[in-house]
């Protein structure tokens, strides 16, 4: 079972799309896009994704990708 990375379409339009493109290249991740993830305040402030249901943020697409991989390293699924 792969980790699930969820993105809000609105946040993708704010710069998160670059992070999504990088993460989509990893065959060990499942990437899902939603119209809204109900984190509107956060969505307007920074880039973020839900990683296995937990919020992970980054100020830039590169920092978001690094934060996601760090979260996965710190919180293994098994």
């Amino acid at each position: 079972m792969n980790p699930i990375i969820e993105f809000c379409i609105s946040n993708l339009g704010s710069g998160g799309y670059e992070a999504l493109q990088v993460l989509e290249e990893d065959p060990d991740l499942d990437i899902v896009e939603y119209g809204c993830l109900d984190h509107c305040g956060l969505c307007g402030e920074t880039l973020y994704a839900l990683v296995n249901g937990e919020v992970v943020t980054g100020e830039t697409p590169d920092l978001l990708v690094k934060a996601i991989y760090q979260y996965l390293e710190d919180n293994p699924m098994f």
Side-chain angles (χ1 to χ4, degrees):
M1 180 176 187
N2 291 334
I4 299 172
I5 316 298
E6 301 168 278
F7 285 93
C8 170
I9 296 260
S10 294
N11 201 253
L12 291 176
S14 299
Y17 187 71
E18 293 174 40
L20 177 139
Q21 287 179 308
V22 171
L23 296 169
E24 280 186 325
E25 294 178 15
D26 188 333
D28 296 323
L29 300 176
D30 290 335
I31 309 298
V32 182
E33 299 173 40
Y34 290 103
C36 182
L37 292 173
D38 293 325
H39 293 286
C40 299
L42 182 62
C43 191
E45 294 175 12
T46 190
L47 301 178
Y48 82 98
L50 296 182
V51 181
N52 294 328
E54 297 295 323
V55 174
V56 176
T57 64
E59 292 181 23
T60 67
D62 288 339
L63 290 176
L64 179 57
V65 169
K66 288 178 185 177
I68 289 170
Y69 279 116
Q70 186 63 54
Y71 178 87
L72 292 171
E73 185 178 314
D74 294 344
N75 300 281
M77 291 179 61
F78 303 107

